[in-house]
């Protein structure tokens, strides 16, 4: 089990995730991707699984299927059951 993520880093991950969602909604996929990579790197349990799903979706939109598979597989193996189920469905769609 990885060590717990400090509250300050969790707050930072949440802020990056919120920024990523604004960028994604505005069509700035590259900006969203950079923020989501930061969230995934912090690995806060509340935001990292969702970030991995969105990284997979962005990779699919760029036809980077190997990268998409990696992100979905990581989310599928994670502790958050909701995002793991979403990742499983995305992996099925890619098959």
């Amino acid at each position: 089990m990885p060590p717990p993520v400090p509250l300050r880093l969790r707050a930072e991950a949440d802020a990056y995730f919120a920024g990523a969602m604004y960028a994604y909604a505005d069509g700035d996929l590259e900006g969203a991707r950079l923020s989501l990579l930061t969230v995934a790197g912090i690995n806060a349990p509340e935001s990292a699984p969702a970030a991995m799903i969105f990284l997979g979706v962005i990779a699919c939109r760029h036809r980077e299927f190997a990268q998409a598979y990696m992100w979905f597989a990581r989310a599928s193996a994670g502790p958050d059951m909701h995002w793991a189920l979403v990742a499983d469905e995305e992996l099925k769609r890619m098959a």
Side-chain angles (χ1 to χ4, degrees):
M1 184 125 224
V5 178
L7 289 177
R8 178 178 238 161
L9 281 177
R10 287 178 181 206
E12 188 171 341
D14 290 344
Y16 272 104
F17 188 80
M21 292 300 95
Y22 280 114
Y24 185 86
D26 284 343
D28 179 9
L29 297 182
E30 189 57 29
R33 188 182 73 80
L34 291 173
S35 292
L36 291 167
L37 284 169
T38 301
V39 175
I42 293 172
N43 202 26
E46 302 85 9
S47 54
M52 291 178 207
I53 294 295
F54 278 97
L55 283 164
V57 169
I58 291 169
C60 281
R61 291 186 68 186
H62 285 113
R63 301 194 156 304
E64 298 166 346
F65 298 115
Q67 189 176 62
Y69 181 86
M70 180 207 53
W71 288 117
F72 293 143
R74 281 187 64 191
S76 177
D80 188 306
M81 291 307 297
H82 168 75
W83 292 112
L85 290 172
V86 171
D88 289 344
E89 289 302 313
E90 291 298 324
L91 287 168
K92 286 179 191 174
R93 284 185 347 132
M94 290 181 70

